Amino acid sequence: MSGFKGRDVISILDFTRGDLEELFDLADEVRLKGVKGRPLEGRIMALAFFEPSTRTRLSFEAAMKRLGGETIGFTSEEATSVAKGESFVDTIRMLDSYSDIIVVRHRYDGAARLAAEVAENPVINAGDGKQHHPTQAMLDIYTIRVLEGGVDGLTIGVLGDLKYGRAASSFILALTHYKPKQVYLISPPQLRARREVLEEARNRGLNYREVENLEDVIHELDILYVTRIQKERIPDPEEYERVKGSYRVTLEMIERKAKKSLKILHPLPKVDEIDPRVDTTHYAAYYTQAKLGIPLRTALLLKILA
Ligand code: NCD
């Protein structure tokens, strides 16, 4: 199946390159011309956030409101009857009967897929455990399209916690829809991308190489995608202590080695992996990226619901 109408959004691999490009065309229209009228008037989006979120939740909410729709939902498990022992599945059934679309984030891998099996209405995965974050990946690729005209032919580094980070995993999988010149997966050995992600990337023909140090490849990069260590997903506190602070993007390193045209992306929140002095340079594209979340998610809701 292709297109978006009435569909769930669980993994970035559920869509084709053609689907994504159509979505980005509409996001461009929304960004440059705005939204006409109130196309989603009378429609309700349920936000089921069992885990913390700032950008993803608020940009979905803002997008729905700009389209004339309304939102209901919760921002933590403690605020729901799950705290009284109600099952995840029952919670999703209720939300499905109260709304037209559910956006769900949960700490367990596979939670969004399960929600989609239970719900009649479309379900959007806003992050399930360490697995998928498809709308972030759409936003990441869209940002590269806005900044560079597209992904094909670029040299892209993905730095950080590639093992527990769902944003990084989804971004790597999203790159397999395109033809970048070279992809470097840069991480300490303990935080290498998971085998299933690497296998998928290999089978889909992505030209990637795993390396340990940013310093060895930074001079080649057009795009550097940085992620934080997912402290809350690392099962063993000692493992976290071993990798804490193991990579950091400094202004010195960039100025000494990187191309002048390097753009740095980050799904945010960032903690200490990027020197804050980078924030105000032309290298930093992460605030632009966060801002593009509104037109991208507006276009996505239009495609699914309008
Ligand atoms: C990411 C997430 O929740 O996976 N945040 C986001 O949606 N932009 C990244 C992270 O938490 O590190």
Side-chain angles (χ1 to χ4, degrees):
M1 207 178 13
S2 77
F4 287 89
K5 197 158 176 57
R7 283 188 62 191
D8 302 314
V9 180
I10 306 300
S11 158
I12 192 70
L13 296 182
D14 298 345
F15 300 91
T16 65
R17 175 177 176 146
D19 293 334
L20 295 179
E21 292 304 317
E22 258 183 45
L23 174 70
F24 301 155
D25 290 342
L26 183 58
D28 276 343
E29 247 184 84
V30 168
R31 181 167 59 92
L32 303 169
K33 298 189 200 143
V35 174
K36 275 186 221 65
R38 299 168 62 79
L40 296 187
E41 176 124 47
R43 314 293 282 280
I44 295 177
M45 175 170 74
L47 294 147
F49 278 72
F50 295 86
E51 259 199 346
S53 170
T54 308
R55 276 149 293 268
T56 306
R57 180 172 57 83
L58 293 176
S59 62
F60 264 118
E61 199 162 342
M64 190 63 177
K65 290 186 169 162
R66 283 198 194 283
L67 292 165
E70 313 221 25
T71 65
I72 57 171
F74 51 84
T75 56
S76 78
E77 196 161 293
E78 293 72 50
T80 69
S81 287
V82 171
K84 301 183 196 166
E86 184 166 42
S87 72
F88 173 74
V89 161
D90 272 358
T91 307
I92 295 298
R93 278 199 187 100
M94 291 308 114
L95 290 177
D96 191 38
S97 66
Y98 298 161
S99 66
D100 303 288
I101 186 164
I102 302 174
V103 181
V104 63
R105 168 172 289 190
H106 200 282
R107 67 184 179 285
Y108 288 150
D109 295 3
R113 185 81 68 195
L114 176 61
E117 281 165 19
V118 173
E120 306 253 322
N121 290 319
V123 169
I124 298 180
N125 184 3
D128 65 311
K130 62 184 175 327
Q131 275 199 316
H132 297 291
H133 194 348
T135 68
Q136 180 67 47
M138 290 169 182
L139 169 55
D140 302 336
I141 301 290
Y142 179 56
T143 304
I144 297 174
R145 191 176 108 150
V146 169
L147 296 174
E148 305 287 337
V151 170
D152 294 348
L154 298 181
T155 297
I156 299 176
V158 191
L159 170 68
D161 182 351
L162 312 184
K163 182 173 182 182
Y164 297 104
R166 58 196 173 202
S169 300
S170 281
F171 179 63
I172 295 166
L173 293 178
L175 291 175
T176 67
H177 286 304
Y178 295 86
K179 288 270 163 283
K181 180 172 165 204
Q182 175 74 50
V183 174
Y184 289 109
L185 305 180
I186 313 158
S187 70
Q190 300 94 325
L191 298 178
R192 285 175 57 190
R194 296 188 306 284
R195 197 168 21 169
E196 78 263 18
V197 173
L198 293 176
E199 270 172 16
E200 192 76 52
R202 191 176 318 112
N203 293 341
R204 294 172 58 89
L206 189 72
N207 188 15
Y208 73 83
R209 234 184 73 203
E210 295 185 87
V211 298
E212 279 181 36
N213 293 310
L214 173 63
E215 200 136 17
D216 297 340
V217 295
I218 192 167
H219 61 283
E220 290 182 46
L221 303 181
D222 301 300
I223 299 284
L224 172 61
Y225 188 92
V226 186
T227 63
R228 79 179 166 94
I229 295 185
Q230 307 281 302
K231 184 180 179 186
E232 71 277 28
R233 293 188 215 293
I234 297 185
D236 175 0
E238 275 175 32
E239 192 187 349
Y240 174 69
E241 286 304 317
R242 275 194 296 272
V243 291
K244 193 175 82 177
S246 54
Y247 57 91
R248 184 170 159 87
V249 182
T250 63
L251 189 57
E252 285 78 13
M253 194 202 295
I254 296 171
E255 285 181 336
R256 205 157 30 87
K257 296 202 159 168
K259 292 186 187 173
K260 283 274 166 297
S261 58
L262 172 72
K263 293 281 179 276
I264 302 175
L265 271 63
H266 193 306
L268 302 178
K270 60 186 175 64
V271 188
D272 56 6
E273 57 278 359
I274 301 180
D275 180 344
R277 288 177 303 155
V278 177
D279 294 356
T280 50
T281 67
H282 67 274
Y283 300 105
Y286 27 90
Y287 300 120
T288 303
Q289 181 185 5
K291 193 168 160 191
L292 291 171
I294 301 276
L296 186 279
R297 292 192 169 100
T298 302
L300 182 64
L301 292 175
L302 276 171
K303 284 262 177 211
I304 296 172
L305 288 176

